[in-house]
Amino acid sequence: METVMSVNESTAPVMPRSRVIGAYLEEARSECLRYMRAPGFMLPIMLFPAMFYLLFGVLMAKSNGADAARYLLASYGVFGVMSPGLFGFGVSLALERDGGLLTFKRALPMPPGAYLLGKMLMAMVAAGVVILLLLTMAVTLGHVALSPLQAGALLLTGMLGVLPFCALGMFVGTLIKGQGAPGMLQLIYLPMSFMSGLWFPLPMLPKFLQQIAPIWPSYHLDMVAMAAVGLNKEAILTHVLVLLAFAIGFLLLAARRLRRNG
């Protein structure tokens, strides 16, 4: 019996690598199209941070100096990229679990990671659009002085920095129903942003909030973003490793929840 099984397994057809890659790309394309056809969901995710930055980073901070302008660009950039990760993953996953779409996708003959990769790429694209929008506003309206290298570093930071929040959103999406996901994620998104020093510099916050700021992934992404625009001269490797640990940890927790509860 064992011999027969081993022979069958060895002679089982293997999907060509080109078809596997094609399946991943097709899932990513379908995710992009699906969200582009739902502007009521995506536009607030991308425009809400831009409105905050226009009000507080441009109109109310014109006379605070060049460093303050770059500081606000970096911090509101982090605030902006958190949203596609948390809401793009968390809300959609919760809704798809409720509607049975996730169960249907599991039955499809596609690589198991295609669903996850498609959503990650969509979140990265949305984060990139947010950063580009803020950069355009910063240069044209705020007259922020940035080198092309700094602008590119901030864009890369945003597109990669969204991934820990994708993992956190995914984990939250496995815990609650679809209708309750937006409210729960708002309770995570806004307080975390405030307590990480994204709206006000950390020295302006109570000492207790300053001490616990490093427990939030947004704080560490903010430190990386500050380095990208030339304001943080310290080594950022620790912050990058913490963000990587957040991403892997929440991803494993979410995967465990999905295996158990679907």
Side-chain angles (χ1 to χ4, degrees):
M1 179 66 72
E2 291 181 358
T3 304
V4 172
M5 289 180 64
S6 62
V7 170
N8 288 339
E9 289 176 357
S10 63
T11 58
V14 178
M15 183 180 292
R17 181 175 299 179
S18 60
R19 292 184 61 186
V20 173
I21 296 175
Y24 279 105
L25 294 177
E26 184 60 28
E27 182 66 17
R29 187 184 72 86
S30 67
E31 283 293 321
C32 291
L33 288 176
R34 190 153 67 94
Y35 284 109
M36 288 175 63
R37 292 169 180 168
F41 180 74
M42 288 304 297
L43 284 179
I45 287 178
M46 293 187 288
L47 295 182
F48 183 57
M51 292 174 58
F52 260 68
Y53 178 67
L54 177 63
L55 180 60
F56 297 105
V58 176
L59 298 180
M60 297 180 62
K62 284 188 174 181
S63 60
N64 291 336
D67 285 351
R70 284 185 290 156
Y71 178 95
L72 291 170
L73 172 62
S75 61
Y76 278 103
V78 173
F79 175 65
V81 303
M82 291 168 61
S83 185
L86 290 173
F87 293 94
F89 248 88
V91 175
S92 62
L93 178 61
L95 291 173
E96 288 165 9
R97 287 178 62 235
D98 286 356
L101 180 60
L102 185 58
T103 302
F104 173 73
K105 281 183 173 288
R106 285 177 170 175
L108 294 176
M110 68 177 186
Y115 171 80
L116 177 62
L117 181 63
K119 286 191 176 299
M120 287 172 55
L121 291 177
M122 183 59 216
M124 293 175 69
V125 170
V129 172
V130 169
I131 294 295
L132 288 174
L133 181 58
L134 295 188
L135 282 171
T136 301
M137 295 170 61
V139 173
T140 58
L141 300 177
H143 305 291
V144 178
L146 284 177
S147 69
L149 182 60
Q150 290 173 332
L154 184 62
L155 177 62
L156 182 63
T157 297
M159 294 185 69
L160 295 179
V162 73
L163 297 179
F165 302 97
C166 289
L168 176 57
M170 183 180 178
F171 176 62
V172 174
T174 65
L175 296 176
I176 55 181
K177 298 292 184 181
Q179 292 183 345
M184 177 60 70
L185 287 167
Q186 286 285 5
L187 291 176
I188 296 173
Y189 178 43
L190 298 180
M192 184 191 298
S193 301
F194 174 75
M195 290 186 289
S196 301
L198 302 185
W199 296 352
F200 303 99
L202 276 177
M204 297 176 59
L205 299 180
K207 187 175 181 180
F208 170 71
L209 294 181
Q210 297 179 39
Q211 292 173 339
I212 66 171
I215 71 174
W216 312 116
S218 44
Y219 165 82
H220 296 280
L221 184 58
D222 191 37
M223 293 297 101
V224 179
M226 291 297 172
V229 298
L231 294 179
N232 183 8
K233 304 301 183 181
E234 300 176 1
I236 62 170
L237 179 59
T238 299
H239 300 293
V240 172
L241 292 177
V242 171
L243 289 169
L244 183 62
F246 268 107
I248 295 174
F250 280 116
L251 181 62
L252 292 176
L253 289 173
R256 183 179 180 184
R257 286 277 309 172
L258 287 174
R259 283 196 298 268
R260 288 186 174 184
N261 303 312

